[in-house]
Amino acid sequence: GVSSILLGLQKLKEDSETSFAMQAKQFFWLDINGLFASGDGQEIDKEFKSTIDYLTKTPNSVLVIKNAYTFLEGAKNSGNSHFMNILNNADMSNSFQVIMEVNDNQLSEVYKENPDINKFYTLYDVKELKGKELEETVIEASKSLIDYHNIKISSEAIKEAIKLTNKYRDDYGLGTAQPSRSLNLLDRALSSYKQEVIKEHPTLKSLREDINT
């Protein structure tokens, strides 16, 4: 999916031979769940406009919306159907760039919500990564999860994450395409583990089990 492209672009920024224009790009992922979590239309509108204002003031910014259909549905259901117009206007004024991802079976719905989409966006058909290429991408991308959570991820865990998210591709809201699904599953697993550690450190748990036996 689009996450594969963005991971590649992020990697390019580390290459000394990459053009300055590319190195200067700053990518921002929209937290769709967080944006619409409150259910308060006015609060959602305020938060979204604050995000747009920040992007407008940030040079070379790129907004990434990983599920355009979910975003548009959330905007409509919260009484904020004008969000798409805000993004279109930003595109027109070259304030910042927008990248949106949508499943093939939801593309027609996105067109309904934004009939002028071809005017503002270039449509790319992106295929999911598979096999060795997918595994190598997840291994590389998971380094940021390791740094963030400060927990190592084994190669076995990565292979299992890929296996599960290929088998149950539409479950648990993990994402629309690989490698996003695998990375989201790993992220959730690490977050859950940290919560368990906070409740009871593994060393204390082991001691308690020894005492009980």
Side-chain angles (χ1 to χ4, degrees):
V2 71
S3 51
S4 305
I5 296 176
L6 294 170
L7 288 170
L9 292 176
Q10 288 281 37
K11 193 66 178 176
L12 273 176
K13 292 178 64 175
E14 301 171 10
D15 190 334
S16 59
E17 296 185 3
T18 300
S19 68
F20 176 76
M22 184 62 238
Q23 290 184 11
K25 294 292 183 184
Q26 300 188 68
F27 294 96
F28 299 89
W29 276 257
L30 182 65
D31 180 6
I32 298 175
N33 293 333
L35 176 63
F36 298 111
S38 69
D40 184 327
Q42 291 185 340
E43 184 63 30
I44 292 169
D45 180 57
K46 181 180 177 181
E47 184 175 345
F48 184 69
K49 287 179 177 176
S50 175
T51 300
I52 296 302
D53 183 57
Y54 179 82
L55 290 167
T56 302
K57 294 177 180 177
T58 304
N60 303 304
S61 57
V62 181
L63 176 64
V64 181
I65 302 177
K66 291 181 67 176
N67 192 324
Y69 175 75
T70 299
F71 168 73
L72 292 172
E73 281 294 292
K76 182 171 66 175
N77 293 335
S78 64
N80 289 295
S81 297
H82 60 285
F83 281 4
M84 198 64 240
N85 290 331
I86 292 176
L87 292 179
N88 290 345
N89 289 334
D91 258 5
M92 287 180 64
S93 62
N94 293 319
S95 300
F96 56 87
Q97 292 177 288
V98 180
I99 297 176
M100 296 192 295
E101 180 182 30
V102 61
N103 278 347
D104 291 343
N105 59 355
Q106 296 173 332
L107 184 59
S108 60
E109 296 299 320
V110 172
Y111 271 108
K112 287 180 183 178
E113 296 296 329
N114 188 18
D116 296 325
I117 195 167
N118 284 331
K119 180 180 178 181
F120 300 103
Y121 299 92
T122 302
L123 185 64
Y124 288 97
D125 184 18
V126 183
K127 301 299 183 184
E128 278 192 334
L129 294 178
K130 296 181 180 180
K132 192 67 174 177
E133 191 175 17
L134 172 59
E135 184 177 339
E136 290 175 350
T137 301
V138 175
I139 289 172
E140 182 64 32
S142 64
K143 292 177 181 178
S144 61
L145 294 177
I146 294 172
D147 292 339
Y148 179 77
H149 291 284
N150 197 26
I151 301 173
K152 293 182 179 179
I153 304 175
S154 68
S155 57
E156 291 78 11
I158 289 175
K159 290 178 181 178
E160 189 64 20
I162 292 172
K163 178 181 176 181
L164 288 171
T165 52
N166 279 337
K167 184 176 181 180
Y168 305 105
R169 56 178 299 117
D170 296 322
D171 292 358
Y172 312 115
L174 289 171
T176 57
Q178 293 286 25
S180 177
R181 291 199 308 276
S182 294
L183 293 170
N184 285 342
L185 180 57
L186 289 168
D187 186 29
R188 290 188 185 185
L190 294 176
S191 296
S192 296
Y193 176 76
K194 287 172 70 175
Q195 290 299 318
E196 289 299 318
V197 170
I198 291 172
K199 291 178 183 177
E200 185 171 31
H201 193 278
T203 303
L204 292 176
K205 183 177 181 180
S206 178
L207 287 172
R208 192 185 304 278
E209 290 174 349
D210 289 342
I211 292 171
N212 290 335
T213 56

